[in-house]
Amino acid sequence: MKKWLNKIEWGLLWVLPVVVFFSYLPVIKLGANETMNFELSLPLIWLAIFGILSLRKIRLIWKKLGKYAMAWLLFVIFTTISVIWSLNLLRGILTAGIGWLILLSVLNIIYCIRPTLKQSKKLLNIHVYAGVAAGILCLMQCFLDVFGIDRTATGLCVGCTYQAIGFPHPNGLAIEPQFMGNLLILPALLSLLFLYDNIKNNKSNYKIGASLALTFFLIMVLFITFSRGAIYSFMLGVICLIAYACVKLHKFSTLWALPLIVAAFCGGLLCQGLLAQLSPTNENFQQGITRSIEQMSLGIIDFKEEIVADSNFNGYIEESTEIRLSLNEAALTAWKIRPIFGVGLGGAGTAIHSIEPSLSSKEIIQNELFQILLELGIVGVGFVIILLIATIRTAAKNKTKSLTCFVCLLIMYGASMMFFSGLPNVLHIYLMTPVAYLLFKQYSYAKI
């Protein structure tokens, strides 16, 4: 029986790099109440099965927990206790359950399953190729949309079609483009590192060329998703990685990554221009490019248009930024009522609705830090700071060979969390990060 359970566990681990891309579609709808929707996705089902299987190793996990890993356990215990005073008890209980499943799964992967270096590389290679497949789906969504195929057939979200700004921005199998973009952060980073490794190790021209094409494609699709949070976060992490390599290690050869990224972004711009040209609106190639630049620059680079556009927005969508800021403001106002321990896990939507009735109690804050502050108070934010320090110190203590790469991945994901909140749509962050850590722990990318 134990052998069969181990095989199931390993089988689940091998499909994880692919499953995470099905973050919303297909979805099993189980109903809704006034404060939340009850839905199941493939990653959630995967988490439930893997987490339950991990329960049988709880003794082994407990024995291997170091003082830094204990911080994670204490944080999950605190979040669970906060359900007692939560303004949304049911949502708090369900969120706490997901938190425990994530904790068990992560600790099982790190301390018990522990893939070898070869297995870790293979797992992350699968994740990169799954990212490429998701990117191809994104491009298909875009072109099918401008050719008139209904969004219900392509899987595009309501605000993702060409009618918004003249060209579509894909969400893949995620609920929104921002989550699709976030899904591409790790594959894009890994593809850069794999390419760098291939060049340093003098691999064949074919292998380097194929790696270069994959890297270009993944970064280009990341740009096409039009998720500012994912794009800004990816660039921040890459800049930190290159800056460390140049200043600390004097590895100026890493600078080649910058023109490659710029070229990939330019490729994305050209693709958006082409989509604008092909769309049924009166927008043309040039206007598609200028719209994209305006939106990505938050309206700072403002190209005046000479025509009245057919799409819903003529340039920078200021409303998208204002909505996020108003949600953050509502969260801060609600937090001031219970600043120390917050309104309890899962209570954010109810709390901001009581402050601003026009906001739905199903609304999410769109900023994970503010959500933690509102739900768990100053104590919760303190825990998060301790967790980050503990995670990096654990990696350093274990002599992680690519420690800087791991820290930059944490920077990317940490920065991206300032643009969304919640667990179900971003399970890849919590489940793929430990897999990436195992690779970075065992393998050095030219000592970066």
Side-chain angles (χ1 to χ4, degrees):
M1 183 66 176
K2 186 178 179 181
K3 289 183 179 179
W4 276 106
L5 289 175
N6 287 337
K7 286 182 179 180
I8 293 172
E9 201 171 56
W10 269 103
L12 287 168
L13 188 61
W14 283 113
V15 300
L16 173 63
V18 177
V19 166
V20 291
F21 282 96
F22 294 83
S23 66
Y24 184 71
L25 296 174
V27 62
I28 302 173
K29 296 183 181 292
L30 303 174
N33 64 14
E34 292 181 355
T35 60
M36 65 184 298
N37 298 319
F38 302 106
E39 299 170 338
L40 281 177
S41 63
L42 289 184
L44 270 174
I45 294 170
W46 184 99
L47 177 65
I49 298 171
F50 194 86
I52 291 170
L53 285 175
S54 300
L55 273 171
R56 63 197 175 90
K57 296 182 179 179
I58 198 161
R59 283 189 179 180
L60 181 58
I61 290 172
W62 179 258
K63 288 179 181 178
K64 294 189 175 185
L65 276 182
K67 63 179 182 180
Y68 296 127
M70 283 292 291
W72 285 99
L73 178 60
L74 292 173
F75 176 67
V76 177
I77 290 173
F78 171 70
T79 59
T80 304
I81 292 173
S82 76
V83 172
I84 296 171
W85 61 83
S86 175
L87 297 183
N88 189 338
L89 183 62
L90 179 58
R91 187 175 188 130
I93 291 171
L94 294 174
T95 305
I98 293 174
W100 279 106
L101 290 170
I102 290 173
L103 180 67
L104 286 168
S105 300
V106 169
L107 294 178
N108 188 9
I109 292 170
I110 292 177
Y111 292 115
C112 301
I113 295 183
R114 302 184 71 175
T116 63
L117 173 60
K118 186 176 180 181
Q119 289 168 332
S120 295
K121 277 188 174 181
K122 192 171 181 180
L123 280 166
L124 292 170
N125 265 315
I126 291 172
H127 192 52
V128 169
Y129 289 120
V132 172
I136 292 171
L137 172 63
C138 286
L139 287 181
M140 288 176 61
Q141 285 180 320
C142 290
F143 282 97
L144 288 173
D145 182 59
V146 297
F147 289 140
I149 305 300
D150 191 84
R151 70 169 192 85
T152 55
T154 63
L156 277 177
C157 67
V158 176
C160 299
T161 65
Y162 69 83
Q163 294 168 332
I165 52 175
F167 57 83
H169 43 296
N171 56 293
L173 297 171
I175 190 170
E176 293 177 4
Q178 63 172 324
F179 298 118
M180 183 63 240
N182 202 277
L183 275 161
L184 291 173
I185 286 178
L186 179 55
L189 173 64
L190 289 171
S191 65
L192 268 176
L193 293 175
F194 293 164
L195 174 59
Y196 181 67
D197 201 48
N198 287 338
I199 294 171
K200 281 293 181 181
N201 292 320
N202 296 315
K203 297 291 184 178
S204 67
N205 290 336
Y206 173 80
K207 194 162 187 177
I208 292 173
S211 188
L212 178 64
L214 286 179
T215 305
F216 178 90
F217 179 78
L218 284 168
I219 298 173
M220 183 186 76
V221 176
L222 170 59
F223 184 80
I224 291 172
T225 64
F226 225 39
S227 168
R228 289 174 296 181
I231 294 167
Y232 297 161
S233 301
F234 175 73
M235 283 306 304
L236 175 63
V238 170
I239 289 170
C240 288
L241 185 61
I242 293 174
Y244 178 84
C246 291
V247 175
K248 187 74 175 178
L249 305 178
H250 304 293
K251 292 183 178 293
F252 298 100
S253 58
T254 55
L255 288 169
W256 61 263
L258 292 178
L260 172 60
I261 293 171
V262 171
F265 284 169
C266 288
L269 271 176
L270 293 175
C271 186
Q272 288 168 333
L274 176 61
L275 289 167
Q277 181 69 47
L278 294 173
S279 74
T281 66
N282 63 342
E283 270 91 337
N284 58 31
F285 181 85
Q286 181 183 349
Q287 286 161 338
I289 291 177
T290 57
R291 295 278 181 84
S292 178
I293 293 173
E294 282 182 53
Q295 181 69 6
M296 290 306 302
S297 67
L298 302 177
I300 295 173
I301 304 175
D302 185 7
F303 293 98
K304 301 299 181 185
E305 300 195 20
E306 298 177 357
I307 66 165
V308 178
D310 287 344
S311 54
N312 296 335
F313 297 95
N314 292 332
Y316 169 50
I317 309 175
E318 193 172 352
E319 178 184 326
S320 64
T321 303
E322 289 178 349
I323 290 173
R324 290 175 184 273
L325 292 176
S326 64
L327 286 170
N328 293 345
E329 186 178 350
L332 287 174
T333 303
W335 163 72
K336 291 175 184 178
I337 300 172
R338 300 185 185 181
I340 307 300
F341 295 105
V343 299
L345 192 65
T350 305
I352 62 173
H353 176 69
S354 65
I355 295 295
E356 183 53 64
S358 63
L359 294 173
S360 168
S361 4
K362 292 182 180 180
E363 193 67 72
I364 56 176
I365 305 300
Q366 297 286 359
N367 185 315
E368 187 66 22
L369 179 60
F370 282 7
Q371 175 132 340
I372 291 171
L373 182 65
L374 175 56
E375 293 189 345
L376 303 175
I378 295 172
V379 175
V381 173
F383 260 114
V384 170
I385 294 170
I386 293 170
L387 287 177
L388 285 173
I389 296 171
T391 300
I392 295 171
R393 291 198 66 174
T394 300
K397 182 183 177 183
N398 291 333
K399 298 180 180 179
T400 301
K401 293 184 178 180
S402 294
L403 178 61
T404 310
C405 296
F406 179 63
V407 172
C408 285
L409 176 61
L410 295 181
I411 290 172
M412 289 179 180
Y413 279 151
S416 70
M417 286 182 175
M418 305 297 285
F419 295 85
F420 65 82
S421 59
L423 288 178
N425 292 311
V426 288
L427 286 177
H428 62 279
I429 292 179
Y430 306 100
L431 298 176
M432 287 306 302
T433 298
V435 179
Y437 166 69
L438 289 173
L439 174 63
F440 293 147
K441 178 183 176 182
Q442 300 174 78
Y443 190 77
S444 172
Y445 285 97
K447 296 183 180 179
I448 294 179

